[in-house]
Amino acid sequence: MPPSSLQSARGVRDVLPAERATWELVEGAARRVARAFGYQEIETPIIEPLELVERGVGGDTDVVRKEIYLVHSRAEPDSRLVLRPEATAGVVRAYFQNRLDAGPQPQRLYTLGPMFRHDRPQAGRYRQFHQFDVEAFGSGAAALDAEVIEMAVGWLAELGLTGFVLELNSIGDDACRPAYLELLKAYYRPRKEQLDAECQRRLEVNPLRLLDCKAPRCQPFKAGAPRITDHLCPACGEAFAEVRRLLDAAGVEYRLNPYLVRGLDYYSRTVFEVSHEAVGGAQSSLGGGGRYDGLATALGYPNTPATGFAAGLERVVLALERQRLAPPAPSPAELAVLPDGEGLAVAAARVARIARGSVRVAVDYSGRSLRAKMRAAHRAGYPWVAIMDPAEASREVVQLRHMASGEQREVAWRDLPLALRTPGGPTPSRDASGGVRPAMPTGEARA
Ligand code: AMP
């Protein structure tokens, strides 16, 4: 039991140093891929006005009905602010508020950061989680849909992930979807009593969502339901064909899934989702996206076509761990400076400052014995240690020891950056008077 009973809030998690290496890999690859496609990073606030999120995410979604975290300060108990549950609405706001709409189009933007939803926590589902979010504004070209899909898949592939599945669909637009929804309702109405309560409600308010219902009792009816891809208008049909042509040419594999939908009116045409079995169960979705040409108008801005995706970093990290692709935790630093004696803090700090020219350096300022310091350095996995006693400090030299080989030699302080840059073992200092010292077992050095 920890010394205090204070614990984190429910459904949130700490990313500890051992796991951060994997996170850095995931975030680094996201940034690299985004930049390679000409996307620029934007960072928007975590708190946004409630109204933006309500309009942006849609009043009839679980996210808005149940999962929003409201924020108020004691000074302003009535303020209507929220912790963002997703990034898109905030990025759209920022795009218009900062007049990026007046610049060259399309504007290709990406962001990485925490999102908040009050959902029932379980493996792969948290109340604070992180997303890689990509948006392209100001172009209705189907090619941009294919571009963001290629980015999402390229990112996962760069990480070495295999076995993820890309599903693709088109949900039409204002020209063809209304007539399709009437067909869908006409199909489901005679079967209404057999649906579960939630789908009975959806039938009237949001019929498209009937198609992605997971409830067992609703499943038998899906196969006979009309498929939107059979009812696309010519423009939507051509856009869908163009997306598929581009993905085929890029060698991106996908499955057509006529039941993949988005329940909000502002989505149109392309929708896609990437999932991975290794993440498991209901949480297998790594990310998804599509075209949302109607969002800007829904938020009260000028009509602006847009497309994008959002992926969950926790789930990608989990998939990497499950596929044993997570890198081992690196040592905290590459060199530990171990002062051997009293009054050496200033000298040790100086040695560290010099060595930081080429490696990560930590100083052991404790008063314990050199033997204990060596043992600790070994346990922490430092590849190098620099040992110095008062006599050596006055000559401005250290004993530089390569932990794996046990090889140890005297190196002048100023030569440390060069000596440490040499892979595999220390290089004798140009000024070093002493030869190579006999290797000593770890923990035995001069102790
Ligand atoms: P969404 O914004 O709901 O379309 O979700 C996009 C992606 O974010 C999902 O595919 C997940 O990878 C991730 N995600 C969504 N909600 C959560 C959550 N509560 N915990 C962890 N990841 C999440």
Side-chain angles (χ1 to χ4, degrees):
M1 197 55 193
S4 160
S5 60
L6 281 178
Q7 303 271 307
S8 67
R10 211 163 104 74
V12 301
R13 57 196 296 278
D14 303 304
V15 180
L16 299 176
E19 219 188 351
R20 268 306 302 171
T22 313
W23 278 78
E24 261 182 48
L25 196 76
V26 168
E27 292 162 352
R31 290 201 162 87
R32 243 184 340 272
V33 169
R35 285 186 197 135
F37 278 80
Y39 285 68
Q40 291 184 294
E41 186 162 13
I42 183 167
E43 202 169 307
T44 60
I46 284 163
I47 50 173
E48 291 282 5
L50 172 63
E51 193 190 343
L52 175 77
V53 170
E54 273 182 338
R55 287 216 244 160
V57 180
D60 187 48
T61 55
D62 281 353
V63 169
V64 163
R65 280 191 295 153
K66 300 184 284 203
E67 299 171 6
I68 289 282
Y69 279 97
L70 296 164
V71 181
H72 62 257
S73 68
R74 289 195 170 142
E76 278 184 71
D78 300 326
S79 72
R80 289 169 66 79
L81 296 174
V82 300
L83 297 180
R84 63 182 183 189
E86 52 90 58
T88 305
V91 176
V92 173
R93 177 200 53 67
Y95 166 83
F96 287 105
Q97 187 174 333
N98 300 288
R99 297 312 318 261
L100 301 182
D101 61 320
Q105 304 297 312
Q107 280 279 323
R108 293 175 160 98
L109 302 169
Y110 75 93
T111 192
L112 287 156
M115 311 296 154
F116 305 83
R117 295 181 197 172
H118 186 97
D119 204 349
R120 199 166 51 82
Q122 50 183 271
R125 191 160 79 200
Y126 308 99
R127 291 179 173 175
Q128 175 176 338
F129 58 98
H130 298 76
Q131 283 186 341
F132 171 34
D133 184 83
V134 168
E135 321 281 358
F137 297 120
S139 165
L144 279 182
D145 302 2
E147 178 176 286
V148 297
I149 294 172
E150 193 182 339
M151 282 171 67
V153 167
W155 170 52
L156 299 175
E158 177 173 330
L159 290 168
L161 266 188
T162 51
F164 55 84
V165 174
L166 167 66
E167 291 179 294
L168 187 67
N169 195 21
S170 170
I171 55 169
D173 67 4
D174 290 345
C176 50
R177 195 162 53 215
Y180 167 74
L181 293 180
E182 287 310 316
L183 286 176
L184 193 63
K185 282 198 254 183
Y187 167 81
Y188 270 106
R189 270 196 196 114
R191 299 164 174 86
K192 183 168 177 179
E193 299 308 315
Q194 287 142 280
L195 301 174
D196 74 355
E198 181 59 18
C199 278
Q200 292 192 18
R201 196 182 70 84
R202 282 179 181 149
L203 177 53
E204 298 312 325
V205 298
N206 202 347
L208 210 52
R209 291 291 313 279
L210 288 164
L211 295 175
D212 74 351
C213 166
K214 305 282 185 298
R217 63 181 287 184
C218 304
Q219 299 311 306
F221 308 113
K222 276 192 195 174
R227 298 184 167 194
I228 182 140
T229 39
D230 296 331
H231 300 274
L232 296 176
C233 58
C236 285
E238 175 45 36
F240 194 35
E242 171 83 347
V243 171
R244 292 187 336 248
R245 265 197 302 276
L246 281 155
L247 292 179
D248 291 339
V252 173
E253 286 176 30
Y254 54 86
R255 285 186 201 155
L256 295 178
N257 176 358
Y259 307 120
L260 186 65
V261 296
R262 290 279 185 276
L264 300 171
D265 288 344
Y266 59 69
Y267 282 104
S268 54
R269 298 189 174 169
T270 310
V271 293
F272 70 96
E273 183 138 340
V274 183
S275 56
H276 200 300
E277 281 301 308
V279 180
Q283 266 58 60
S284 66
S285 165
L286 297 182
R291 180 157 282 283
Y292 50 94
D293 288 348
L295 177 58
T297 324
L299 294 175
Y301 298 114
N303 188 14
T304 306
T307 188
F309 75 84
L313 302 190
E314 278 78 2
R315 295 195 191 165
V316 174
V317 167
L318 194 64
L320 288 173
E321 285 168 354
R322 298 250 163 103
Q323 287 204 334
R324 303 192 187 289
L325 292 166
S331 60
E334 290 144 319
L335 172 71
V337 179
L338 310 184
D340 178 17
E342 295 288 303
L344 287 173
V346 169
R350 209 175 130 208
V351 166
R353 211 169 293 125
I354 293 167
R356 277 185 198 113
S358 63
V359 292
R360 293 174 285 126
V361 188
V363 182
D364 187 338
Y365 288 113
S366 72
R368 56 190 162 177
S369 70
L370 179 64
R371 181 190 287 264
K373 287 178 185 176
M374 283 294 289
R375 226 178 277 127
H378 178 66
R379 247 198 327 270
Y382 297 105
W384 303 90
V385 297
I387 305 159
M388 53 193 284
D389 64 17
E392 285 160 334
S394 62
R395 288 196 294 122
E396 302 205 345
V397 298
V398 295
Q399 297 299 324
L400 182 64
R401 181 181 177 92
H402 185 243
M403 296 296 265
S405 64
E407 203 180 306
Q408 181 170 314
R409 40 178 103 222
E410 186 172 293
V411 176
W413 291 1
R414 65 169 180 277
D415 293 331
L416 274 170
L418 184 67
L420 288 161
R421 238 178 257 136
T422 316
T427 326
S429 157
R430 272 167 289 144
D431 301 329
S433 47
V436 176
R437 291 206 184 181
M440 285 178 273
T442 303
E444 298 300 316
R446 221 166 49 190

